[in-house]
Amino acid sequence: MKKTVLATLCFIMAISMLAACGGGGGGDATTAGAAATTAAGAAATTTAAAATEAATTAAATTAAATAAAAATTAGAATGGEPDDNFNAEGLPIVNTPVTIDVLAVRYLSHGDAFKTNSWYTQLEQDTNVIIDWQIAYDSDWAEKKSIMFASGDIPSVIFGANGFSDTDILTNLDYFIPLNDLIEDYMPRLKSVFEQEPDMKKIITNLDGKIYSLSKRLPYRPIVSYQPFINKVWLDNLGLEVPDTTEDLFDALMAFKEQDANGNGDANDEIPFTGSAGNSFFGNFNLYSLFGANANGEGLTIIDDTAIFVPMTDEFMEAIKYARRMYAEGLMDNEYFTQDGSMANAKRQNPDLCIVGFEYAWTPDATLAGHADEFITIPPPARPDGQRFSTSIRESNIGRRELEISIYCKYPEVVARWADEFYTYDAAVQNYWGPFGVGMEKLADGTYRMLPPDEGESIDYRSWATSNRDFGPKWMPADYDNFDLIKTNGDGLKWEINKIGEPYSYPTFPPVIYSVEQADQIQSYRTDIRTYVGTTTAKWITEGGIESEWDGYISQLRAMGVDDWMAIHQDAYDNYMNS
């Protein structure tokens, strides 16, 4: 009885915290959730998952009934003709303004200033579509998302692929409207994109032919994602060479810890390596890649057309051993598993002086801000057998899940026309680099020139803060021929330093398409496997024990059904490659 009451109370409290997401803004509830998640650390993951599971069970019947009722309403809304306020062509989209609630998941450090950029302001004026942005943050999104599905409190529109996963959508299809007819009737720009680039349609079309989300195409991006950077000023201060191997790197970080590397007279304020575990179930830990343990967010990679679960590989074990050595010697930030990204960034960007010696980042300016000039990009240090590995993003720049319309949306045809406005070059540029006059300038010949950053400003951060950057519907050209980029900052710099790591990159698991049945099966295994790997990995790094516990760990994963789980991924991969 006590357990039942406790579960019910937990659920009510969780729903209260979530109300901002489903009905009216991120606000203090999001901040409080992020702080609670940070303070709890890795050990709280299992507890949060258990609470979420209890809440999910308690709300399932109510949510199902609510979804069924909403589906009837949505069916009526999409099955008939739009009212006289709606214009099927031209602008404005509606004569009298309407308001749509749109959920966007943001990285905590990037805030929500994008909402007031000039492109969105002008779009609102042109269309009479008022967007009530509901902001959630990645730091506690996993828990909020679970409760959202359990309660049936889904916003009208979900914006960006970092919101709901493929599995989230396919296992909750009753909450989403198929978009096929809306695209056909109200999205001529997207239909033109489909004709020019058929993969834009292929990647969002389910195996049953239905479309539940919109696609994007980012500009042709570098092969390497996060790259290693080391503080060259510190190396020079200590008379050290640039590390060439993982052991050289370990020795350099040890020197950073034990000596006054930043030269301020205090030998104890240096942090050799920092970061945050984030939402990745094995810690978003780029050092793993040095040992060949390169994976996507699900821990998957592909080797010789075979799907591999990286946390079960020898490479992963060697990477954990190395990380354990770092942690035991104090070379890794002791708050790595408890701090969020904004806390790690505060250390990286300490205003007084640089206190961080080694980093993995997209570009140094994106992470290290005013200290970026102290760092140099290095090739990935070689593991003991001499091989080098880079973190790779070889998968396509074409993506899906950039916009979904829920059954609670009163104006799906309005949303379809609004979303179609995103599929122009001008819209894509401003939703990737920031609005004209802030991120880019459009020249008379139709090309675009990147505006220089303010003193000490990161172009990459500016882009993320003033736009939706990687997320949301858009279509960019396949190269940078139309863009004059600054080569010392942001994307232009990334292109230059990419050359250092590209020779050591390898293919990763592609964005395959799952059937509804496969997605349901994946979900039945996913939570337990992710939680177990995440908590075990954190324990091994902070406390040790991987050598004696590895066989038992593998046996436990097999008992959890990891082989069946991987067979589903393999089947989906085979279908994707043969389609």
Side-chain angles (χ1 to χ4, degrees):
M1 182 66 172
K2 289 182 178 179
K3 289 183 178 179
T4 302
V5 172
L6 179 59
T8 303
L9 288 173
C10 288
F11 174 69
I12 292 171
M13 292 174 64
I15 293 301
S16 297
M17 291 177 66
L18 183 61
C21 246
D28 294 339
T30 297
T31 304
T37 299
T38 299
T45 302
T46 303
T47 303
T52 300
E53 183 178 356
T56 301
T57 301
T61 302
T62 302
T66 304
T72 302
T73 303
T78 58
E81 291 297 322
D83 61 34
D84 292 339
N85 190 43
F86 173 72
N87 300 311
E89 297 178 344
L91 296 176
I93 294 174
V94 287
N95 299 318
T96 301
V98 299
T99 299
I100 309 289
D101 56 305
V102 178
L103 170 68
V105 180
R106 300 280 291 178
Y107 297 127
L108 186 61
S109 59
H110 295 146
D112 63 357
F114 78 97
K115 296 189 299 183
T116 58
N117 81 29
S118 58
W119 187 83
Y120 280 116
T121 301
Q122 188 62 51
L123 182 65
E124 183 174 297
Q125 295 173 2
D126 292 343
T127 63
N128 274 344
V129 179
I130 313 302
I131 301 302
D132 179 13
W133 288 101
Q134 312 293 302
I135 306 300
Y137 291 102
D138 64 316
S139 55
D140 59 352
W141 172 236
E143 289 77 21
K144 286 188 173 184
K145 180 173 64 173
S146 296
I147 299 170
M148 185 178 289
F149 279 126
S151 67
D153 191 14
I154 312 293
S156 296
V157 177
I158 300 87
F159 190 97
N162 56 340
F164 294 148
S165 69
D166 289 334
T167 306
D168 291 333
I169 296 169
L170 289 172
T171 55
N172 294 279
L173 282 181
D174 287 346
Y175 285 125
F176 301 98
I177 295 174
L179 306 181
N180 303 62
D181 291 343
L182 292 171
I183 293 171
E184 180 62 32
D185 295 340
Y186 303 119
M187 302 190 71
R189 290 190 178 94
L190 180 56
K191 287 169 61 180
S192 176
V193 167
F194 287 164
E195 292 174 1
Q196 298 175 65
E197 197 152 10
D199 282 352
M200 287 278 286
K201 184 175 183 180
K202 172 186 172 182
I203 201 169
I204 58 174
T205 303
N206 287 1
L207 298 180
D208 62 1
K210 292 184 179 180
I211 294 172
Y212 288 93
S213 71
L214 299 184
S215 51
K216 71 179 175 190
R217 192 200 205 295
L218 299 176
Y220 182 76
R221 304 180 82 188
I223 295 297
V224 181
S225 58
Y226 289 91
Q227 294 183 250
F229 299 90
I230 196 162
N231 194 313
K232 184 63 164 60
V233 172
W234 288 16
L235 290 175
D236 292 344
N237 286 347
L238 303 180
L240 300 174
E241 298 294 325
V242 173
D244 184 60
T245 69
T246 53
E247 287 307 303
D248 291 342
L249 176 62
F250 191 92
D251 292 342
L253 298 184
M254 184 66 77
F256 289 171
K257 172 182 175 285
E258 295 179 340
Q259 303 179 47
D260 182 20
N262 60 21
N264 71 332
D266 182 354
N268 299 308
D269 65 350
E270 287 83 0
I271 303 174
F273 175 74
T274 191
S276 64
N279 284 328
S280 175
F281 70 106
F282 54 92
N284 191 27
F285 201 68
N286 292 293
L287 278 177
Y288 294 166
S289 67
L290 294 181
F291 293 84
N294 187 35
N296 67 5
E298 291 296 308
L300 305 176
T301 194
I302 199 77
I303 299 176
D304 296 330
D305 288 325
T306 300
I308 304 294
F309 188 47
V310 172
M312 294 179 71
T313 62
D314 291 343
E315 290 82 1
F316 184 79
M317 180 169 64
E318 293 305 313
I320 297 297
K321 289 179 181 179
Y322 186 79
R324 170 58 189 158
R325 287 176 60 205
M326 288 182 62
Y327 192 90
E329 292 291 347
L331 308 185
M332 186 192 305
D333 193 332
N334 61 10
E335 295 183 309
Y336 185 87
F337 290 99
T338 58
Q339 66 187 359
D340 62 23
S342 62
M343 295 171 67
N345 280 340
K347 297 173 181 178
R348 293 161 173 149
Q349 300 168 16
N350 180 58
D352 298 326
L353 79 166
C354 189
I355 59 173
V356 174
F358 178 76
E359 266 299 339
Y360 263 84
W362 180 255
T363 59
D365 62 288
T367 298
L368 299 151
H371 302 304
D373 289 345
E374 295 187 29
F375 288 77
I376 59 170
T377 313
I378 62 174
R383 69 184 188 185
D385 66 358
Q387 288 190 276
R388 302 178 192 270
F389 299 89
S390 292
T391 56
S392 174
I393 50 171
R394 283 178 174 267
E395 61 268 22
S396 173
N397 294 329
I398 297 174
R400 58 178 170 265
R401 306 190 321 277
E402 297 302 338
L403 185 145
E404 298 89 48
I405 303 177
S406 83
I407 57 176
Y408 301 105
C409 181
K410 296 179 180 179
Y411 313 107
E413 69 284 345
V414 172
V415 173
R417 288 215 55 212
W418 176 80
D420 203 43
E421 295 294 317
F422 285 74
Y423 289 102
T424 69
Y425 267 20
D426 281 1
V429 168
Q430 294 178 89
N431 278 295
Y432 189 71
W433 283 300
F436 293 149
V438 174
M440 277 282 189
E441 176 184 27
K442 187 175 182 180
L443 304 179
D445 62 0
T447 61
Y448 305 89
R449 183 176 69 87
M450 180 169 283
L451 295 175
D454 293 336
E455 181 69 27
E457 181 182 49
S458 160
I459 289 176
D460 190 79
Y461 180 84
R462 180 183 72 187
S463 299
W464 279 103
T466 61
S467 78
N468 274 299
R469 190 60 166 170
D470 286 5
F471 303 119
K474 59 176 61 72
W475 184 55
M476 300 285 282
D479 54 46
Y480 282 126
D481 289 347
N482 291 327
F483 303 106
D484 179 13
L485 300 180
I486 295 170
K487 295 184 188 289
T488 57
N489 199 315
D491 292 323
L493 173 62
K494 182 62 179 179
W495 266 107
E496 295 302 310
I497 63 177
N498 173 72
K499 300 170 186 175
I500 297 173
E502 184 171 349
Y504 313 110
S505 65
Y506 296 86
T508 54
F509 199 78
V512 304
I513 298 171
Y514 298 95
S515 68
V516 175
E517 293 74 19
Q518 287 173 327
D520 188 60
Q521 291 169 341
I522 287 171
Q523 188 66 13
S524 68
Y525 296 111
R526 184 176 186 266
T527 300
D528 287 345
I529 290 173
R530 286 172 64 93
T531 301
Y532 179 63
V533 171
T535 55
T536 305
T537 296
K539 183 252 183 192
W540 281 338
I541 293 175
T542 58
E543 301 176 17
I546 189 171
E547 293 89 346
S548 61
E549 297 174 9
W550 180 258
D551 290 343
Y553 161 80
I554 296 296
S555 296
Q556 179 62 27
L557 284 172
R558 296 200 188 284
M560 288 178 168
V562 71
D563 293 329
D564 293 335
W565 187 58
M566 289 305 298
I568 298 167
H569 290 301
Q570 182 69 56
D571 185 53
Y573 172 80
D574 293 339
N575 290 336
Y576 181 81
M577 297 303 292
N578 293 327
S579 64

